Amino acid sequence: QVQLVESGGGLVQAGASLTLSCAATMRTFSDYAMGWFRQAPGKEREFVASISWNGNIYYGNSMEGRFTISRDNAKNTVALQMDDLKHEDTGVYYCVADVSMVRLGTRPDHWGQGTQVTVSS
């Protein structure tokens, strides 16, 4: 069984930074690619970033350069640091996990409950 619990969301002003964290519970954390999706109001869920067990990283469009994903395999956690936040970054951010790095980028098997990020303009 895989459990993902996000934290760190909140209300910030445009230009601010915010770091989201995800605490993961599964048999072997290093077996899983980890990542983040987001969903803005009225829009479909969107890929944000992913990281493989050994540190290969991918970012979605418009995220690279502002967002940084990292993982700690000893603590079973993954983080998303978001800098220079924009109003259009507002949405619910979901931690995701999958044994397949490829599938994680489109249809990950496991999702957290999500954490709200609101960026005021």
Side-chain angles (χ1 to χ4, degrees), residues 23-46:
T25 302
M26 61 266 283
R27 187 177 181 90
T28 307
F29 183 68
S30 59
D31 283 347
Y32 288 80
M34 302 295 297
W36 295 88
F37 273 67
R38 71 183 183 186
Q39 187 167 23
K43 295 188 177 181
E44 294 186 354
R45 288 181 178 178
E46 176 185 25

Side-chain angles (χ1 to χ4, degrees), residues 61-111:
N61 295 335
S62 80
M63 284 75 164
E64 192 161 10
R66 297 191 301 123
F67 290 10
T68 304
I69 188 171
S70 61
R71 66 187 288 164
D72 187 330
N73 287 337
K75 296 182 178 180
N76 286 20
T77 58
V78 60
L80 182 70
Q81 180 180 336
M82 304 182 291
D83 298 319
D84 189 23
L85 282 162
K86 306 178 186 303
H87 177 68
E88 51 265 38
D89 293 317
T90 294
V92 179
Y93 283 70
Y94 297 91
C95 179
V96 296
D98 201 297
V99 293
S100 166
M101 183 72 165
V102 174
R103 188 168 59 219
L104 183 133
T106 55
R107 296 183 293 110
D109 274 347
H110 307 286
W111 294 75

